[in-house]
């Protein structure tokens, strides 16, 4: 019997809930304004902390009515304020609640409300806007669709400590680095941003954000100080213009960097220490503060290392490590200092053991959260290890000797989280710069296997770093070179050279160049077959000089050792000579022309291949022209061609010498023997 009753019982409970919610909505339509106001206040009390009630009211259509009342001129200020409070409370629920509010065009209505003279109403609108903008489902660009909004918000900053707190919070959540392409809200007025318009940082900066927010760093309210600080950390990130301005701004006779340093001190709350460290880090990376400045070496760096200790919360450890990785990424001295501060390298190993079975977390909710986010710790550790090991051989050695490090990287390469995979590849790339490690640890752990797996249909950001790492694993002294070749690398790399993405094209051709260095003939033939003549020409006419140089480097490596030169020129000679002519005639820099002449010198070293030069008068004239060029590097490269063509011990050398003598080469050589350049003179 119980089973039969269950369904109707559930239905009646649900209809009761909706019925009890419906009376709240019905009261919003009462003709008596006083009753409407009381209805909104009762609704406010009913929804606080009750997500089910919030969802019910949204389903029953409360939002359009609340927005209507909020925008009506005839509504009392008290009613309009209470409506904004209820809407803010609804926004505090789930992401779906926020989506429903956005669908009802809540943002234009709230922005319109900011034009009211009443401060309490303005604060309620700002609080609601703040709640909506901090939700991940809200497009940041909605703040920038009307050109007048930002300047109005700047003007409201002076009204109260609440307007200061909420506006700074809105700015820091609506300031994204990437360029804006399309907002998707066609009904909103005059977009301030076009496809290539200024980014958010620039818009805020041009509206005087720095000057308007700086004095809030010394506000008596902790929340205001904190939100202002967060605002600066977002504004300065990767932005030289903002960073250079911040360095020279002073508040109450104190420069901003000094204020940030005070906020770094150990007695300040952790979020304040971390955020000011982020500000100083961005300013340092933008070149506004020197890397050897004491505020970086003695204050910012040690503060960030402190954040990595196990006493800190998971998110603090993640943010600390990621910020530190960014701070030291390009500076060898900072990498060395960080590596010996508070046993950082060993401390980071704990990031992989978290949460452990003997974890001190007694709060079940916290434990559940941390288990879900433990992968963020691994990602942060890999990033920081990558930065630490970017340049120094001793640091790399220390990292690799940290317990199970190579196993952790190998595991990281196959994690489900794309961010962890990317960070693990970055770490591997950093360590692969070490000749010693390529020969030992990388071989012991067969790192190439998971790396080749990562290279199969990964997104571009991972492909770029993984293919860079592969370039290093293909250097001639790397024991991984052989097995990588056997696992189908040539085909994979040849396909990368056809990528739309420039970095992938460069890496593909670079890896092939490394692969061809001192390789056996079969490998060289496989590379040429895999690339195809058509693709080779495509690469030689690439608009990027990096691609061109690496392609010439590949050709030069393919055309080394006589039997290989003769074999390749017998099958591809016509196309290669065509390519060489093309480049020597084109508008290219000295390095490109020099590399091309070196390829000719290699061809001239072949036994049968040199005939392809001797029977090509056009090429011979070009060599002669470069012998008299104003650049000594090109003269030297051209002379290598001549010296390889006239070698006495080789068959036919007499005929070749006669032909070159008739061309006037000897006269040029006489002239060059008087040169002031000792290299040219000797040659």
């Amino acid at each position: 019997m119980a089973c039969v009753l269950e369904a109707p019982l559930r239905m009646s409970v649900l209809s009761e809930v909706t019925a009890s919610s419906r009376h709240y909505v019905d009261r919003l339509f009462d003709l008596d304004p006083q009753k409407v106001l009381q209805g909104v206040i009762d609704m406010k009390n009913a929804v606080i902390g009750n997500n089910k009630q919030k969802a019910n009211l949204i389903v029953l259509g409360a939002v359009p009515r609340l927005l209507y009342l909020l925008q009506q001129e005839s509504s009392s200020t008290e009613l309009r304020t209470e409506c904004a409070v209820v809407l803010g409370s609804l926004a505090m629920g789930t992401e779906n609640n926020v989506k429903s509010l956005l669908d009802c065009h809540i943002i234009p209505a709230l922005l319109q409300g900011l034009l009211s003279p009443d401060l309490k109403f303005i604060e309620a609108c700002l609080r609601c806007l703040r709640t909506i903008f901090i939700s991940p489902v809200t497009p940041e660009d909605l703040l920038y669709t009307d050109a007048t909004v930002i300047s109005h918000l700047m003007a409201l900053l002076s009204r109260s400590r609440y307007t200061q707190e909420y506006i700074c919070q809105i700015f820091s959540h609506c300031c994204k680095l990437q360029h804006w392409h399309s907002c998707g809200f066609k009904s909103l007025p005059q977009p301030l941003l076009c496809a290539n318009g200024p980014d958010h940082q620039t818009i805020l900066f041009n509206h005087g954000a720095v000057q308007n927010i700086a004095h809030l760093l010394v506000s008596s309210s902790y929340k205001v100080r904190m939100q202002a600080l967060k605002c600066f950390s977002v504004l300065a990130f990767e932005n030289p213009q903002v960073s250079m301005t911040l360095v020279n701004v002073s508040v109450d006779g104190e420069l901003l960097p000094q204020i940030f340093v005070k906020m770094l001190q150990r007695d300040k709350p952790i979020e304040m220490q971390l955020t000011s460290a982020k500000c100083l880090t961005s300013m340092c990376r933008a070149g506004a503060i020197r890397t050897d400045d004491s505020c970086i070496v003695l204050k910012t760096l040690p503060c960030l290392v402190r954040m990595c200790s196990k006493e800190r919360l998971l998110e603090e450890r993640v943010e600390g490590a990621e910020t530190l990785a960014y701070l030291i990424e390009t500076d060898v001295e900072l990498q060395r200092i960080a590596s010996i501060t508070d046993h950082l390298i060993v401390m980071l190993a704990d990031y992989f053991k978290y949460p452990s079975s003997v974890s001190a977390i007694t709060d079940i909710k916290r434990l559940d959260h941390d288990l879900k986010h433990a992968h963020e710790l691994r990602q942060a550790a890999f990033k920081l290890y990558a930065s630490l090991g970017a340049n120094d051989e001793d640091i790399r050695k220390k990292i690799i000797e940290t317990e199970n490090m190579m196993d952790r990287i190998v595991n990281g390469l196959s994690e489900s989280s794309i961010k962890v995979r990317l960070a693990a590849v970055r770490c591997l790339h950093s360590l692969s710069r070490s000749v010693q490690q390529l020969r030992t640890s990388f071989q012991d752990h067969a790192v190439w296997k998971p790396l080749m797996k990562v290279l199969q249909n990964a997104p571009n950001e991972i492909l770029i770093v993984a293919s860079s790492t592969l370039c290093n694993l293909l250097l001639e002294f790397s024991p991984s070179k052989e097995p990588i070749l056997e696992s189908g690398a040539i085909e994979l790399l040849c396909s990368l050279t056809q990528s739309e993405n420039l970095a992938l094209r460069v890496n593909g051709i670079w890896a092939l160049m490394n692969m061809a260095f001192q390789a056996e003939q079969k490998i060289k033939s496989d590379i040429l077959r895999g690339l195809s003549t058509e693709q080779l020409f495509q690469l030689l006419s690439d608009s990027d000089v990096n691609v061109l140089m690496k392609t010439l480097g590949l050709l030069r490596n393919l055309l080394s050792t006589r039997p290989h030169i003769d074999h390749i020129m017998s099958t591809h000679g016509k196309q290669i000579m065509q390519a060489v002519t093309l480049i020597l005639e084109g508008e290219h820099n000295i390095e490109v022309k020099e590399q091309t002449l070196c390829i000719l010198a290699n061809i001239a070293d072949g036994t049968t291949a040199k005939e392809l030069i001797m029977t090509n008068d056009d090429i011979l004239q070009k060599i002669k022209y470069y012998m008299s060029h104003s650049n000594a590097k090109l003269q030297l490269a051209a002379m290598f061609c001549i010296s390889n063509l006239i070698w006495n011990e080789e068959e036919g050398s007499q005929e070749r010498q006669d032909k070159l003598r008739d061309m006037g080469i000897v006269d040029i050589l006489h002239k060059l023997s008087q040169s002031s350049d000792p290299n040219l003179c000797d040659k």
Side-chain angles (χ1 to χ4, degrees):
M1 283 301 285
C3 295
V4 181
L5 281 171
E6 199 174 336
L9 203 131
R10 236 196 213 144
M11 282 298 289
S12 65
V13 169
L14 189 65
S15 53
E16 266 175 48
V17 171
T18 345
S20 72
S21 303
R22 184 173 295 284
H23 98 98
Y24 286 113
V25 180
D26 291 343
R27 287 166 71 191
L28 300 181
F29 291 88
D30 201 291
L31 294 174
D32 180 349
Q34 216 33 54
K35 285 184 178 169
V36 174
L37 175 62
Q38 196 50 54
V40 175
I41 292 169
D42 292 346
M43 187 185 279
K44 173 179 74 175
N45 296 329
V47 295
I48 290 173
N50 187 337
N51 274 350
K52 202 168 192 177
Q53 185 69 279
K54 289 175 188 179
N56 285 337
L57 290 171
I58 289 171
V59 169
L60 292 168
V63 177
R65 183 63 184 169
L66 287 166
L67 282 171
Y68 172 79
L69 295 170
L70 179 128
Q71 292 176 92
Q72 276 306 94
E73 291 298 325
S74 56
S75 298
S76 68
T77 307
E78 192 184 355
L79 173 60
R80 295 171 77 187
T81 306
E82 292 293 351
C83 286
V85 171
V86 175
L87 289 164
S89 193
L90 295 177
M92 289 228 179
T94 63
E95 288 182 2
N96 280 335
N97 291 9
V98 177
K99 282 180 187 163
S100 304
L101 293 171
L102 290 171
D103 290 342
C104 294
H105 300 294
I106 187 171
I107 288 179
L110 291 169
L111 291 174
Q112 196 61 38
L114 299 180
L115 299 172
S116 156
D118 186 88
L119 183 58
K120 284 277 166 278
F121 177 52
I122 290 173
E123 288 173 351
C125 287
L126 283 172
R127 193 180 307 115
C128 184
L129 279 167
R130 179 273 315 264
T131 307
I132 289 168
F133 275 119
I134 63 179
S135 165
V137 299
T138 310
E140 298 85 14
D141 303 299
L142 291 178
L143 186 68
Y144 302 93
T145 42
D146 179 338
T148 60
V149 168
I150 304 295
S151 44
H152 186 61
L153 287 171
M154 292 292 175
L156 289 175
L157 272 170
S158 58
R159 295 291 298 274
S160 75
R161 74 181 192 81
Y162 294 112
T163 64
Q164 292 168 349
E165 179 192 334
Y166 304 145
I167 291 170
C168 284
Q169 208 172 350
I170 289 168
F171 284 161
S172 50
H173 278 277
C174 295
C175 185
K176 290 286 176 278
L177 263 181
Q178 63 268 41
H179 282 275
W180 185 78
H181 288 292
S182 145
C183 178
F185 283 77
K186 294 192 176 66
S187 59
L188 291 167
Q190 46 163 7
L192 184 58
L193 298 164
C194 60
N196 301 311
D199 55 33
H200 302 162
Q201 288 174 324
T202 309
I203 294 168
L204 292 173
F205 179 79
N206 290 345
H207 278 84
V210 173
Q211 294 72 11
N212 283 302
I213 296 170
H215 68 97
L216 303 182
L217 290 169
V218 294
S219 160
S220 57
S221 154
Y222 171 75
K223 283 183 174 176
V224 172
R225 291 201 302 280
M226 201 51 237
Q227 292 307 332
L229 189 57
K230 282 184 177 171
C231 214
F232 280 136
S233 85
V234 177
L235 278 172
F237 183 63
E238 289 191 352
N239 193 315
Q241 185 188 28
V242 173
S243 296
M244 294 294 186
T245 307
L246 288 180
V247 172
N248 300 312
V249 171
S250 64
V251 179
D252 295 349
E254 203 168 13
L255 287 168
L256 282 195
Q258 294 167 313
I259 294 175
F260 293 148
V261 166
K262 278 187 176 169
M263 291 174 152
L264 278 180
Q265 288 165 356
R266 287 168 188 258
D267 60 342
K268 295 288 185 284
I270 294 296
E271 74 165 336
M272 183 171 270
Q273 291 184 44
L274 244 177
T275 314
S276 32
K278 283 170 87 168
C279 290
L280 289 160
T281 294
S282 291
M283 290 162 77
C284 178
R285 282 300 304 265
I289 300 176
R290 290 168 52 111
T291 53
D292 58 1
D293 190 302
S294 63
C295 78
I296 298 297
V297 179
L298 302 178
K299 302 289 182 185
T300 311
L301 188 146
C303 168
L304 290 169
V305 173
R306 280 202 306 276
M307 297 302 147
C308 298
S309 81
K310 358 172 141 142
E311 283 69 57
R312 303 267 55 89
L313 291 174
L314 178 136
E315 44 272 42
E316 294 161 359
R317 292 169 81 188
V318 169
E319 208 170 332
E322 292 194 337
T323 308
L324 183 55
Y326 179 57
L327 174 66
I328 68 175
E329 189 180 15
T330 55
D331 191 273
V332 191
E333 202 40 48
L334 288 180
Q335 289 158 11
R336 290 195 182 122
I337 295 166
S339 74
I340 54 168
T341 304
D342 291 352
H343 308 290
L344 177 64
I345 291 175
V346 179
M347 189 166 21
L348 283 177
D350 287 332
Y351 277 46
F352 297 94
K353 306 173 191 167
Y354 185 87
S356 64
S357 51
V358 291
S359 182
I361 304 175
T362 46
D363 177 351
I364 293 297
K365 228 176 173 181
R366 182 81 221 175
L367 184 62
D368 182 54
H369 168 273
D370 285 4
L371 283 166
K372 286 193 183 107
H373 294 270
H375 68 276
E376 291 174 21
L377 274 176
R378 295 193 292 279
Q379 170 199 319
F382 282 138
K383 274 187 186 169
L384 184 43
Y385 276 138
S387 284
L388 283 164
N391 296 289
D392 189 288
E393 193 61 40
D394 292 336
I395 299 176
R396 287 187 199 122
K397 193 167 181 295
K398 275 188 200 161
I399 292 172
I400 284 177
E401 285 168 359
T402 307
E403 52 176 323
N404 309 330
M405 192 60 209
M406 291 309 283
D407 291 333
R408 285 183 176 138
I409 295 175
V410 167
N411 293 338
L413 292 175
S414 54
E415 279 210 32
S416 57
S417 156
I418 186 165
K419 287 181 172 173
V420 177
R421 287 207 306 278
L422 178 59
V425 174
R426 281 215 173 108
C427 184
L428 190 64
H429 179 240
S430 183
L431 299 173
S432 75
R433 293 178 179 140
S434 159
V435 175
Q436 180 61 33
Q437 302 309 333
L438 282 174
R439 285 187 168 141
T440 53
S441 311
F442 275 54
Q443 189 55 13
D444 300 341
H445 291 81
V447 168
W448 64 270
K449 280 185 187 165
L451 186 67
M452 287 297 286
K453 204 171 166 191
V454 166
L455 281 159
Q456 311 298 330
N457 55 50
N460 274 4
E461 53 180 344
I462 287 185
L463 269 181
I464 290 167
V465 192
S467 54
S468 277
T469 312
L470 196 62
C471 289
N472 292 344
L473 291 181
L474 286 167
L475 290 163
E476 89 282 3
F477 51 75
S478 163
S480 310
K481 186 172 178 176
E482 288 303 312
I484 290 173
L485 279 167
E486 286 158 20
S487 67
I490 292 178
E491 193 183 337
L492 177 98
L493 294 170
C494 288
S495 70
L496 286 186
T497 67
Q498 297 175 25
S499 170
E500 295 280 303
N501 183 293
L502 173 61
L504 286 178
R505 285 205 305 283
V506 171
N507 287 350
I509 201 73
W510 195 335
L512 288 169
M513 178 183 94
N514 287 352
M515 194 185 272
F517 183 74
Q518 295 182 352
E520 54 195 61
Q521 192 171 300
K522 183 190 176 305
I523 292 171
K524 292 180 176 181
S525 300
D526 288 349
I527 291 174
L528 273 169
R529 200 175 304 116
L531 261 187
S532 83
T533 317
E534 194 182 340
Q535 179 58 10
L536 197 60
F537 272 103
Q538 196 74 42
L539 292 165
L540 287 170
S541 51
D542 199 286
S543 58
D544 184 80
V545 73
N546 252 328
V547 174
L548 180 53
M549 282 297 279
K550 295 288 176 277
T551 310
L552 292 170
L554 167 65
L555 271 178
R556 196 172 163 181
N557 286 350
L558 290 170
L559 295 164
S560 60
T561 74
R562 264 187 206 160
H564 297 182
I565 296 169
D566 289 334
H567 175 74
I568 289 171
M569 292 307 287
S570 70
T571 53
H572 294 79
K574 190 177 161 207
Q575 295 93 328
I576 289 173
M577 293 305 282
Q578 227 175 325
V580 166
T581 311
L582 197 76
I583 288 169
L584 290 177
E585 284 177 354
E587 292 290 319
H588 294 291
N589 65 28
I590 299 294
E591 282 71 25
V592 169
K593 300 253 169 132
E594 182 190 14
Q595 189 79 294
T596 311
L597 287 167
C598 289
I599 291 170
L600 269 183
N602 284 12
I603 296 169
D605 194 36
T607 310
T608 54
K610 54 169 56 87
E611 284 312 306
L612 285 162
I613 296 179
M614 291 309 300
T615 54
N616 188 328
D617 289 344
D618 186 21
I619 287 281
L620 286 171
Q621 286 300 331
K622 285 186 170 54
I623 294 173
K624 179 184 172 184
Y625 164 76
Y626 284 108
M627 283 177 75
S628 308
H629 198 277
S630 58
N631 185 286
K633 280 182 175 178
L634 296 182
Q635 289 179 287
L636 210 53
M639 283 209 290
F640 269 110
C641 299
I642 298 296
S643 112
N644 283 347
L645 289 171
I646 60 174
W647 209 247
N648 271 329
E649 286 82 71
E650 291 170 8
E651 198 183 324
S653 61
Q654 196 53 56
E655 289 89 334
R656 289 193 291 278
Q657 288 174 15
D658 292 344
K659 180 165 184 178
L660 293 171
R661 196 176 283 112
D662 294 345
M663 280 179 63
I665 298 290
V666 176
D667 303 338
I668 300 173
L669 288 171
H670 274 304
K671 208 181 287 176
L672 288 172
S673 65
Q674 314 299 313
S675 166
S676 57
D677 185 316
N679 287 333
L680 283 176
C681 218
D682 291 351
K683 195 68 192 166

